[in-house]
Amino acid sequence: MTEQPVTVLAVDDQPANLRLLDAVLSPRGYDVIPASSGEQALALLETRDVDLVLLDVVMPGLDGHQVCRSIRAQSRTAFLPVVMITASGDQQRLAALESGADDFVTKPFDQAELLARVASLARIKRYHDTIERQAAELTAWNAELESRVAAGIAELERTNRLRRFLSPQLVDVVLGDQRLLTSHRQEIVVVICDFHGFTTFAETSEPEEVITVLRDYHAVVGRRVHEHAGTLERFTGDGVMIFFNDPVPCDDAAVRMALDIGDDVKELSKDWLRHGHLLTHRSGIAQGYATLGRIGFPGRFDYAAIGSVTNLAARLCDIGQDWEIRVTDRVLAALEDRAESELIGDLRLRGFSRPVRVHSITALEPSRQAIR
């Protein structure tokens, strides 16, 4: 990039002196701006970018000392190089320095000396401008960095909130389109699991033992929920509610997850039994429409499903026998002929006016997707 020529503001009430300064400086590449008074010089400094001021001391109106002090008083021009053009005499030179001048030349000035002093101060001015520009760029970069860090922290907090109830696969999907968390209606598959005999166990065991059992159980549930891309709606003591098919469709993930959790808990129950804790597991699975979305308040939101399908899954779980997975007709129909099941019958469930046909699922063939 071509550097701009150094701009010199020449201030003198004598036109002949201004012409002389212009004749010396312009051929050397300087851009000379003439000013015939101190007042005009200060006015020009408000509108023009100037690199250096050549300032006569004795002028009508504002003299050179007053103009120099005004230049130093303004933040925009406080560091602007000023060269006083004085008559001979140490006293006048001292006064020039006391007024804030950076240097001075004596009339009649030597051209070589004038050019050397102007070049030296102009170079310092350009260094100063460079430092100021870099400081401004650094300030802007810092502001942008702070903004990016703040945005990153906000994104991380948003991601952590989502990870509280969504599997890692679903978090990536939802982060790509946060509109998926807004309230909407969707057909989902709800799984509710709990322990059979937990109330008795909790009444007869120490709290530390209860916490240990729940910690092991929740670890199994959490791993299987993530593995099958379910959405963990809530823990309720020994119970847990997970739903599928929102925001991404599922095939048989709900039933397959319930079977896996049952197998894992069977293994855990062997160790619990050695400690005298008789606990079995059961699940209820229902399919139907629900309203889904965020519920809560600023600082605490959950992603929830509202609808009778959640109550139906809970009732199926409540009536389940040891290690049973009870499902509705609708859930079984979606599995076509891949499930090993047994018809339990048409049952009247609390909260539902009509009987519900209930099945028990014991096994599931590999999904077609897995076979491919």
Side-chain angles (χ1 to χ4, degrees), residues 8 10 17-18 20-26 28 30 32 52-55 83-86 103-122:
V8 177
N17 291 340
L18 290 176
L20 178 58
L21 290 171
D22 183 64
V24 172
L25 295 172
S26 291
R28 272 79 177 180
Y30 293 97
V32 179
L52 186 143
V53 178
L54 288 175
L55 185 60
V83 178
M84 287 276 200
I85 302 175
T86 71
D103 207 344
F104 51 83
V105 292
T106 306
K107 290 180 181 179
F109 55 81
D110 177 83
Q111 291 189 19
E113 179 187 0
L114 175 68
L115 289 170
R117 294 183 187 280
V118 167
S120 175
L121 289 172

